[in-house]
């Protein structure tokens, strides 16, 4: 292991090559991930509220 920083060679050029048989990439994963995240958030919120309701002292 070396403690010093090493210089890495990085190519800055990126050449995009388009082919005729390439299909366009459909970006649905962001929408599905967001939908799943909202569902999880809603379930967690419901559990938190149910726990607060169960812990609430009704005999005031």
């Amino acid at each position: 292991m070396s403690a010093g920083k090493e210089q890495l060679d990085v190519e800055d050029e990126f050449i995009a090559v388009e082919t005729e048989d390439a299909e366009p990439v459909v970006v649905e994963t962001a929408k599905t991930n967001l939908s799943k995240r909202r569902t999880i958030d809603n379930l967690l919120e419901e559990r938190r509220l149910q726990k607060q309701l169960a812990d609430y002292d009704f005999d005031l």
Side-chain angles (χ1 to χ4, degrees), residues 1 3 5 8 10 17 19 26 30 41 43 54 57 59:
M1 289 189 180
K5 293 183 179 179
L8 299 176
V10 179
V17 178
T19 59
V26 180
D41 286 345
L43 290 172
D57 187 17
D59 299 329

Side-chain angles (χ1 to χ4, degrees):
M1 289 189 180
S2 69
K5 293 183 179 179
E6 298 177 10
Q7 180 66 30
L8 299 176
D9 294 330
V10 179
E11 291 185 28
D12 291 335
E13 295 182 27
F14 176 76
I15 300 171
V17 178
E18 293 187 21
T19 59
E20 292 179 14
D21 60 340
E23 296 179 10
V25 178
V26 180
V27 185
E28 291 185 22
T29 56
K31 288 183 181 179
T32 3
N33 288 342
L34 183 58
S35 175
K36 288 178 184 178
R37 183 67 221 172
R38 286 181 178 161
T39 303
I40 292 170
D41 286 345
N42 289 340
L43 290 172
L44 290 173
E45 178 72 10
E46 184 179 348
R47 282 188 187 176
R48 184 184 65 79
L49 291 173
Q50 286 178 352
K51 184 177 180 184
Q52 283 182 351
L53 187 61
D55 291 344
Y56 184 75
D57 187 17
F58 289 103
D59 299 329
L60 292 178

